[in-house]
Amino acid sequence: MNPHGAVHGGALTMMSGLAAQQAMPDRTDYDLQSLRALFLRPARGAVTARTRVRHAGRSLRIVDVELVGGVTDVGNPAASKPFVQAEAVFRAAR
């Protein structure tokens, strides 16, 4: 937490990258090429990741991530407002 009680942006960025990597079924053969994160509002409390694999080709993978909070039911984060929206691009490892 920073002095204002919000989760640090670097931690949120790292969480986005890890969530994107975990969303891919065969993640061991891909390296993170780029990660773009948009910080929408301060994150406080518990943080949950929503992921969607947008493209899963042989050499390129694109994963969308939203970090959300205020989840009362861990199984239903759909109603929560996002703190961060991120896009992760993975390339096949050489």
Side-chain angles (χ1 to χ4, degrees):
M1 300 284 202
N2 67 18
H4 302 288
V7 180
H8 189 276
L12 292 171
T13 302
M14 181 59 96
M15 289 171 67
S16 297
L18 291 172
Q21 187 178 34
Q22 292 298 313
M24 295 190 316
D26 55 349
R27 58 188 165 267
T28 57
D29 295 331
Y30 291 86
D31 294 330
L32 183 63
Q33 183 75 28
S34 69
L35 179 65
R36 182 178 61 105
L38 301 172
F39 298 93
L40 306 175
R41 62 189 184 102
R44 292 182 171 81
V47 177
T48 302
R50 293 189 294 218
T51 59
R52 179 178 72 97
V53 178
R54 188 168 13 132
H55 177 74
R58 285 188 330 206
S59 62
L60 180 71
R61 302 286 168 96
I62 301 172
V63 181
D64 293 326
V65 178
E66 281 190 335
L67 298 182
V68 297
V71 179
T72 56
D73 178 11
V74 175
N76 185 21
S80 300
K81 292 182 180 180
F83 296 128
V84 175
Q85 290 179 335
E87 175 189 76
V89 178
F90 295 87
R91 293 254 180 215
R94 294 181 188 232

